[in-house]
Amino acid sequence: MELKHPEACTQCGTCVTVCPVEMVGGHAIVTFLAEPDAADYSVWLCTSCWRCQEACPAGVDIYGLMMEQRRREPAPAGYQAAFEHALACGLALQVSQEALDQVRAAWGLESVELPPPNFARNLLRDSR
Amino acid sequence: MKLAFYPGCLVLQRMPEYEATTRAVLRELGIELEIVQQAACCGSPVVESFAADWVYLAAYNLALVERMEHGTVVTVCGGCTNTLTRGARALQDPGVRAEANRRLEPLGLSVTGQVVVKHLVQLLAEREEDLRARIVRPLSIRVALTNPCQAFRPGDVMGFDDPMEPHSLRRLVELTGAEVIEYGGENECCGATLYLAAPGLALAAGRRKLEATQEADLLLHSCGNCQLLLRRFQRLIVRDEKHLRKEVLFLPQLIGLALGLPAEELGLREGAWN
């Protein structure tokens, strides 16, 4: 485990009490902050709701730490596929212009141009 | 008044009714929305999980908005609101801004980060009195809320409402005459983003809400992710436990009803919630 335990954390455990993942029996990185010896957590379980960070009395950048750790770890297939779609077509969910036009026309919504192909690769150069 | 509109990929591709009803409600308030053409995914929570330089994708979307010269972009998902707002904040750093412009230049775009990003809840909350005056069909129903979590946090960046216990959505729903029931999970994430990593846990998070809100006539939210989990995936949670079934509405559908808009225009059956 490379993640540095942030010195500001006082081990008060507030993060765990507000985490929606904990409430359904999952253990995201907040468990690590509250109990550094626990081994059954995963940064990929974080829902990005920001409650732990907002509630943290010490102001630890928990979200930032979790995202950093994600970038060091293998990703679940669903995340990996969504990221590759975003790189290839700019959207996490792939769609054709024709399908999009159909969905929107059914609701009387104007046509929308999709982003140019592969443009995202020039914007995101620091990804793995 | 015209404002830019950034639906985000989930709403753009899967939830045209959310965009259509948002437009219908705002039209009543004299606001027209112009959609951002060629917009990319906001990236939440996927891109930041892989790319340390995620901010440049946000910069691309913000550059498209700036080109439209409306000053404000309206969002309808918590994740989009959060990512674009944090992106605009990051662009206040001259070094980040210069690098963003270097990367955007080949696309013929530039960015200042001066755009205001507003979630629909915030936009409507700022027009509470105007809305109140336009309610022609008060609703007598019991509503349970799910707040769009990422639209309020981190509080020091989003700068809108109480970050841990926001009240704007509740006030908007109460304007319609509906009774808001408290069930303790209003500020808990719906669990949708968890679905990408652990579907079973995501459904368990949704189930907590369905179990706790049985006395409500409907669950109301204002986010594409909440719709995905609470409505689209509801059958995966409920299975044969029919007592857990729950109507799920977008905020503008409920407000539209109270404004007297035709149910059909709001994607609801005629006579719904009379």
Side-chain angles (χ1 to χ4, degrees):
Chain A
M1 189 70 199
E2 293 172 34
L3 185 67
K4 290 276 195 313
H5 190 59
E7 287 179 10
C9 174
T10 62
Q11 305 287 301
C12 71
T14 303
C15 49
V16 171
T17 67
V18 298
C19 174
V21 183
E22 294 286 336
M23 290 173 194
V24 291
H27 304 297
I29 193 70
V30 289
T31 302
F32 174 70
L33 292 167
E35 300 172 55
D37 297 329
D40 60 338
Y41 59 85
S42 164
V43 285
W44 294 98
L45 297 183
C46 169
T47 69
S48 309
C49 79
W50 292 80
R51 282 189 17 126
C52 55
Q53 183 154 339
E54 198 70 43
C56 175
V60 176
D61 179 15
I62 305 175
Y63 181 80
L65 287 167
M66 285 190 287
M67 289 295 139
E68 260 182 43
Q69 186 59 23
R70 280 187 178 187
R71 296 194 282 265
R72 297 184 191 117
E73 284 191 9
Y79 265 94
Q80 190 73 47
F83 180 64
E84 274 159 25
H85 290 162
L87 275 186
C89 70
L91 301 168
L93 306 167
Q94 276 188 311
V95 68
S96 71
Q97 185 74 55
E98 191 186 3
L100 182 62
D101 287 348
Q102 276 175 9
V103 165
R104 296 180 60 79
W107 276 84
L109 296 167
E110 65 190 307
S111 176
V112 172
E113 257 181 84
L114 293 171
N118 290 316
F119 79 99
R121 290 184 203 277
N122 288 320
L123 297 174
L124 303 172
R125 299 170 187 171
D126 196 14
S127 57
R128 52 188 185 118
Chain B
M1 183 203 286
K2 214 168 202 184
L3 301 176
F5 177 60
Y6 178 89
C9 43
L10 199 51
V11 174
L12 179 76
Q13 297 173 29
R14 307 269 169 93
M15 299 161 193
E17 70 274 31
Y18 191 14
E19 176 178 341
T21 55
T22 295
R23 285 177 181 273
V25 163
L26 292 179
R27 206 173 292 126
E28 295 294 303
L29 299 175
I31 299 170
E32 287 294 328
L33 297 179
E34 184 183 351
I35 198 159
V36 184
Q37 297 286 348
Q38 298 194 322
C41 171
C42 74
S44 170
V46 173
V47 172
E48 198 171 351
S49 304
F50 295 86
D53 55 357
W54 62 273
V55 69
Y56 302 114
L57 186 66
Y60 168 80
N61 287 316
L62 292 167
L64 296 176
V65 172
E66 288 182 15
R67 196 167 62 174
M68 297 163 74
E69 298 186 342
H70 296 314
T72 295
V73 61
V74 179
T75 51
V76 288
C77 256
C80 303
T81 315
N82 179 297
T83 307
L84 295 182
T85 306
R86 287 193 298 125
R89 171 68 69 95
L91 287 166
Q92 301 313 305
D93 178 310
V96 174
R97 194 163 64 240
E99 179 60 21
N101 281 307
R102 270 193 290 277
R103 296 188 191 197
L104 289 170
E105 204 262 327
L107 297 166
L109 292 167
S110 65
V111 73
T112 67
Q114 295 301 313
V115 166
V116 176
V117 181
K118 262 183 206 178
H119 189 280
L120 177 67
V121 169
Q122 183 177 4
L123 186 70
L124 291 175
E126 290 169 355
R127 286 158 179 79
E128 192 178 311
E129 290 315 309
D130 193 6
L131 265 176
R132 191 191 309 278
R134 292 170 193 271
I135 302 293
V136 296
R137 188 190 178 206
L139 308 171
S140 48
I141 49 175
R142 289 170 303 169
V143 175
L145 305 179
T146 286
N147 273 297
C149 37
Q150 293 146 312
F152 302 102
R153 293 184 291 272
D156 63 338
V157 178
M158 305 310 284
F160 163 61
D161 209 336
D162 182 314
M164 287 302 268
E165 293 187 15
H167 54 76
S168 306
L169 185 61
R170 178 172 50 78
R171 287 177 65 101
L172 288 169
V173 170
E174 284 172 349
L175 273 183
T176 69
E179 178 195 348
V180 175
I181 66 141
E182 294 192 7
Y183 66 98
E186 295 82 351
N187 303 314
E188 281 172 23
C189 177
C190 65
T193 53
L194 192 51
Y195 199 83
L196 285 172
L201 287 177
L203 298 179
R207 185 185 178 89
R208 270 174 68 86
K209 287 189 188 274
L210 295 179
E211 282 180 346
T213 58
Q214 289 185 54
E215 59 170 310
D217 295 309
L218 59 89
L219 250 175
L220 183 127
H221 66 84
S222 201
C223 178
N225 283 301
C226 296
Q227 178 76 356
L228 192 66
L229 195 90
L230 299 172
R231 172 78 187 265
R232 299 282 171 101
F233 294 168
Q234 190 180 114
R235 65 188 164 78
L236 301 177
I237 301 170
V238 170
R239 296 189 184 274
D240 54 0
E241 296 174 273
K242 293 190 174 124
H243 65 283
L244 289 179
R245 273 191 198 155
K246 182 69 64 189
E247 289 269 5
V248 178
L249 259 61
F250 293 105
L251 173 68
Q253 289 180 302
L254 192 81
I255 292 189
L257 277 179
L259 293 174
L261 297 175
E264 194 186 343
E265 196 183 317
L266 298 167
L268 302 169
R269 67 180 188 280
E270 205 49 58
W273 311 113
N274 265 338

